[in-house]
Amino acid sequence: MPVEPLSPQEIEERLAALPGWSLDAGRLTRSYRLGSHFAATAMVVHIAQVQEELDHHSDLTLGYDTVALAVHTHSAQGAVTEKDFALAHRVEDLAGGHGAH
């Protein structure tokens, strides 16, 4: 079943429930700062596990003590869909456990 792109209004409404996330160049984006490189690496591994479970993957960037994500749905011609918000919510749910802010 194909996923449908969200309208700009739907995206804005859903972003209101995800503080720290934004729309940048047609992708949902978020950066986190963590207490150490090891903590950031552990969070990347945890996010990778969630992405495999959802079968939906972001561009995931590991810095020294930062993790950044950018996500859109390739099968919807690069539009933002519910799949992107599902991933964003899962990442938000796990971020606190890694000490991310």
Side-chain angles (χ1 to χ4, degrees):
M1 172 185 268
V3 291
E4 295 296 319
L6 295 173
S7 72
Q9 181 180 350
E10 290 171 318
I11 292 169
E12 288 303 314
E13 289 170 359
R14 284 164 177 77
L15 279 173
L18 283 168
W21 287 83
S22 61
L23 186 66
D24 183 24
R27 295 174 177 223
L28 293 185
T29 63
R30 174 80 154 95
S31 295
Y32 297 92
R33 183 164 304 277
L34 292 98
S36 68
H37 182 67
F38 185 80
T41 302
M43 185 169 165
V44 165
V45 171
H46 198 169
I47 292 169
Q49 179 183 13
V50 168
Q51 291 180 143
E52 286 296 307
E53 289 172 15
L54 295 176
D55 192 25
H56 191 57
H57 302 83
S58 68
D59 290 334
L60 187 55
T61 305
L62 171 64
Y64 170 72
D65 62 351
T66 59
V67 174
L69 294 93
V71 64
H72 62 196
T73 303
H74 295 281
S75 62
Q77 290 69 49
V80 174
T81 69
E82 283 293 344
K83 290 178 77 167
D84 303 308
F85 280 96
L87 176 59
H89 280 285
R90 289 284 302 272
V91 171
E92 280 299 301
D93 290 346
L94 68 83
H98 289 277
H101 52 38

